[in-house]
Each structure stands twice: as structure tokens, then as C-alpha cells.
Amino acid sequence: MKKELSIIILAYNEADNLKLLVPKIKTVVSELTSAYEIIVVDGNSYDGTAEIAKSFDCKVITQRIPGYGSAFKQAFEVAGGKYAITLDADCSHNPKFINGLWEKRNECQLVIASRYVRGGGASMPFFRKILSIILNKAYSLTLSLPYKDLSSGFRLYDTGIAKSLLNTISAEDFNILAEILIKIHCDGYHIMEIPFFYEPRRHDRSTAKIFKFGLSYARTLYQSWQLRNSNFSADYDDRAFDSIIPLQRYWQRKRYSLIMKMAKGEGRLVDLGCGSSRIIQNLEHSVGLDISLKKLNYIKNKVSNLLVKGSIAKLPFKDEVFSRAICSQVVEHIPKESLDLGEFNRVLKNGGRLIIGTPDYAAFWWRFFEWFYVRILPLAYGEGHIAHYDRKELCSLLEKNGFEILEYKYIMKGELIVHAKKRDVGI
């Protein structure tokens, strides 16, 4: 019978605790589903941890590579449940709370038992608690994340999603908890925190382990910051609108203002390469198209619009179905030989309007901004600009494909936005 739930426990010299913990887990989980398994990853213990786990019919795996993150990845490699719950072996995570995690399994792809949301709390040694709070606040603020407890190890995962990310995870220690959360978020999936009170049974953890915990999180912060500010992050466009960087915030809002003004009018509108921008979020009754499924996964929680996965190279729409089309900051990411502006013409009605935006590589100020951009954020969109246009070339292409140029605008003398109209056939 296929497993519905995998309980994952990472253990090192926890024989006595497992004697208490595993029976409690079985009592709770057996009331939720009979199709479950308990996986214990043993970090080469010398106190009989593996033998105790086996005596309770747990699936026991001997850890191959040292480190919390390595044990975490090894456990998910063998997890057979549709969902997986991770909890500590030292009895600090009360098995009764498994019920709370399980109840939310269909509402999101990751559920976190959180100490720092309203209703949650923690009874921890003072220094350890302060360090935990600082680390979590540093992550949430620096990475613009809405989560309070990124370091909680008491979680419910959609196992398939967690497994799909294993090969992208570099963390080998406690920082894996932050890294996998960030990557789930960046892929556009939904994450939920529910309040949990943490009462550790043992307070004798060494100061060295506390520092190791803190340093492992600190080391991965910069890497995560690069990821959050890259085109791998599903919410990049949405978040940039409220960026703490004044220039980025201004640029996004200026683009939004210009495009929304040009897009006014009657009839159905399509946003080609919509991403997660505020433009698609504020255009009711429009259609959003993007090639990135994770961006569509993210944006679907914010809009009621029809969302379509597809490429602008071959639009999945019938002829002449839209009155207006937007294609902002997309064409520069597609090889010139693959771009057919005739596709834009095809889906627009006679007299329909097209708003297309791209960097003007003939403009000194764009080249100046991009030079800094790709050095500060090497994983961001700058490196993906493989097709370089200038105003003369873009307007010429539009005219050859049946468009009349109405106007064009610039942002900071670098980003070009062209407003064009499809010529009426037969006139």
C-alpha cells in the first residue's frame, strides 16, 4: 500500500528519547492514517539508537555524510509518503502537534510549526533564544520574506516538491531549513506558519553547537540573497515594486505607471510574459501568459485572471481575440531568430494596440546601469539579456510586422517602452 505520510527523525545518541517519542508518534499518527512510516536517520550513534528504532518497526538508515543537512537529504531520498513531517528526536517537538500540521496539508506545500507568529512561543535558554530571533529576523528582512520562523525543524512538506529540490540544495548543516524554505517560496509554492510553543526537554546543548548553528545560517544568507534577487525567484517582479533599493523601486513603479496609462481602453487584454508583476495583478479580466510555471503558481494566489503557460514565440491563442497586448521586458530574453512579432499581430484585432518594452542598447545610460547591475546581482535578469535591441531596430521590426508606432517613452533614458497599433486590414 502506498504511504500517505512519512515521519522523519534525525537522531544521534537519542536511544532514551526514542523510547518515549516513537510510541507517542504512533499513537497520534495512527488516528490520522494507517498508511504511514517512521524513518530514523541514525548518525552512527553508539548508544543503541538504531536498535531501539528498529524495535519499534522504524525504517532505520545509517547516515553516510556528517551534518544535519546531509541527514535531511538522505531521509527524503527514501521517504515514500505523499507528505513528510520532520521533528527533533530529543522530544522538544510534541507529537500531539502533528495533528495541527496534518490539518493544513491541502492548503499549502509547506507547513511550519512556528515559535514566532502570534500565539506561538518558546521556552529556551536566553542566549540561544536571542540568537534564534536575530537569525530569523535577519533572514526575513534581508530576503524580504513574510515568514517568522525559518529555522523551525518541525514541518510538514509535500514530499514530491521537497525531493525535486534536493539536487539544488547545497547546505549540509542546519541552514538547510532556511535554504529549502526559500527555494520552495522562490518556486511559487504556498507556505503557511501555524503557532507552536517550543519546550525543549533538554537544555544541555553545548555552546559550540549553538555557534555552529548560527554560523551555518550566516554562511548561507548571502547565497540566499542572490537567489531572492534572481530570475529564479517567482516573486521577483512583485517584490521589486516595493524594493528597499530606491532606484529599483522607482524603476518598477515608473514602468508600471507608463504601461498602465498606455493600456487603458476597452476590450480584452493579454500580458505576454506577465511574470509576477503588479501590472497583471491590477488588470482585471485580462489574460496572463508566462513560460515559467513557478511564476504562474505564485501569481495565481493573487489574481482571478486566466493564466496560461506558454511561449511568446508561438502564442497559444486564436486569431484576433485581444484588443490590447503588453509584452514588457521579455523580448530581450529570446534569441532574435526565434521572435516572430507577426504572432503579436495575429492575436490582436484590427486597430488593437501593443505595448512592448525592452532595454535600449544604443542608450549610454542603459549600458551604464546594466554594467553595475550584473556585478551586484550576477544571477538576476541582466545575464539573461541575450537579444539587444535599440529604438530604431525595434520600431522597424514592428512596422514590418503590421504595426504603426503611436509613441515611445523612456525610463531613466535607458529602458524603452513603445506603444504601437495594429494597422487595419483593407484600409
Side-chain angles (χ1 to χ4, degrees):
M1 181 172 60
K2 188 174 180 180
K3 302 296 183 186
E4 191 172 10
L5 174 62
S6 297
I7 301 290
I8 294 174
I9 306 169
L10 311 184
Y12 176 67
N13 290 334
E14 298 284 6
D16 290 340
N17 285 319
L18 290 183
K19 292 176 186 177
L20 301 172
L21 181 64
V22 175
K24 291 180 181 178
I25 290 174
K26 287 190 167 187
T27 299
V28 172
V29 175
S30 61
E31 295 180 358
L32 304 176
T33 175
S34 59
Y36 74 91
E37 63 182 353
I38 300 177
I39 300 171
V40 175
V41 181
D42 176 37
N44 296 283
S45 304
Y46 53 79
D47 70 341
T49 290
E51 288 72 22
I52 292 298
K54 288 176 182 176
S55 73
F56 287 110
D57 297 322
C58 299
K59 182 186 292 184
V60 178
I61 303 165
T62 302
Q63 188 172 343
R64 296 188 300 264
I65 303 172
Y68 182 94
S70 300
F72 180 98
K73 286 185 275 189
Q74 196 172 339
F76 272 91
E77 286 172 1
V78 301
K82 181 180 179 181
Y83 304 99
I85 290 177
T86 57
L87 72 166
D88 289 352
D90 64 0
C91 298
S92 58
H93 295 153
N94 191 333
K96 291 181 179 179
F97 198 75
I98 289 174
N99 287 294
L101 297 171
W102 184 252
E103 287 174 0
K104 303 296 182 181
R105 68 192 184 281
N106 295 320
E107 298 181 32
C108 55
Q109 288 72 50
L110 172 60
V111 191
I112 303 170
S114 176
R115 297 162 289 181
Y116 304 127
V117 294
R118 184 183 295 274
S123 174
M124 301 163 62
F126 178 76
F127 181 74
R128 183 180 171 190
K129 186 173 184 177
I130 292 298
L131 179 61
S132 174
I133 291 172
I134 290 173
L135 283 171
N136 279 290
K137 284 191 175 295
Y139 264 75
S140 62
L141 290 173
T142 304
L143 304 179
S144 301
L145 291 167
Y147 315 116
K148 306 293 186 182
D149 197 348
L150 290 85
S151 59
S152 170
F154 199 7
R155 299 175 172 182
L156 180 143
Y157 295 87
D158 181 306
T159 308
I161 291 171
K163 284 187 174 188
S164 71
L165 294 171
L166 290 182
N167 290 334
T168 72
I169 300 291
S170 60
E172 295 181 352
D173 217 318
F174 296 106
N175 49 334
I176 194 171
L177 296 172
E179 186 176 355
I180 194 167
L181 181 154
I182 291 163
K183 290 191 172 178
I184 289 173
H185 177 89
C186 286
D187 275 3
Y189 294 111
H190 185 39
I191 299 172
M192 178 184 295
E193 289 183 283
I194 56 177
F196 168 71
F197 195 87
Y198 178 88
E199 290 189 84
R201 182 175 173 272
R202 294 163 55 184
H203 297 272
D204 58 351
R205 301 257 173 130
S206 69
T207 303
K209 285 189 177 181
I210 293 175
F211 275 110
K212 182 180 179 182
F213 180 90
L215 287 172
S216 68
Y217 272 84
R219 281 195 300 266
T220 200
L221 183 58
Y222 177 66
Q223 179 185 358
S224 299
W225 180 78
Q226 286 188 311
L227 176 64
R228 291 290 288 131
N229 290 281
S230 76
N231 59 356
F232 297 106
S233 184
D235 65 339
Y236 176 86
D237 302 309
D238 183 29
R239 191 165 45 85
F241 192 86
D242 296 314
S243 174
I244 61 173
I245 303 171
L247 179 60
Q248 185 180 41
R249 185 173 64 249
Y250 168 81
W251 204 299
Q252 291 282 331
R253 295 186 177 201
K254 185 66 175 179
R255 178 190 300 151
Y256 174 88
S257 175
L258 289 173
I259 290 176
M260 293 297 280
K261 186 179 293 185
M262 292 178 180
K264 286 183 178 178
E266 298 297 324
R268 203 170 195 190
L269 179 147
V270 62
D271 189 345
L272 305 170
C274 62
S276 61
S277 76
R278 295 294 174 89
I279 294 171
I280 187 64
Q281 291 185 44
N282 289 288
L283 288 170
E284 295 182 0
H285 312 299
S286 62
V287 176
L289 176 137
D290 204 281
I291 199 168
S292 171
L293 183 59
K294 63 184 179 182
K295 291 185 178 183
L296 297 177
N297 279 335
Y298 173 81
I299 203 71
K300 73 180 181 181
N301 296 316
K302 293 179 172 286
V303 300
S304 58
N305 308 53
L306 174 64
L307 300 175
V308 180
K309 184 180 184 299
S311 169
I312 68 166
K314 187 170 179 59
L315 297 175
F317 304 117
K318 294 180 180 180
D319 296 351
E320 300 184 2
V321 291
F322 298 108
S323 299
R324 295 160 294 154
I326 297 169
C327 185
S328 174
Q329 302 302 297
V330 180
V331 297
E332 64 271 19
H333 298 279
I334 297 174
K336 288 187 177 183
E337 61 272 18
S338 300
L339 180 65
D340 180 8
L341 293 183
E343 276 290 278
F344 295 2
N345 184 302
R346 180 181 66 79
V347 301
L348 282 170
K349 297 177 180 179
N350 287 340
R353 292 180 288 119
L354 171 66
I355 302 154
I356 184 168
T358 188
D360 185 343
Y361 277 88
F364 164 79
W365 284 109
W366 175 259
R367 298 195 304 273
F368 173 80
F369 287 127
E370 188 173 76
W371 188 88
F372 283 100
Y373 183 54
V374 297
R375 283 157 179 81
I376 297 171
L377 297 172
L379 297 177
Y381 284 99
E383 294 291 349
H385 292 177
I386 58 176
H388 295 180
Y389 295 91
D390 58 36
R391 178 168 57 85
K392 183 178 179 180
E393 179 183 10
L394 183 61
C395 289
S396 176
L397 282 172
L398 288 167
E399 289 171 346
K400 287 178 181 178
N401 283 277
F403 289 97
E404 172 191 344
I405 308 302
L406 299 177
E407 62 176 329
Y408 61 85
K409 300 287 185 180
Y410 277 97
I411 303 173
M412 298 288 287
K413 298 182 179 181
E415 181 179 324
L416 171 68
I417 302 174
V418 177
H419 188 192
K421 183 178 79 168
K422 177 179 175 177
R423 297 193 193 98
D424 292 339
V425 177
I427 295 179

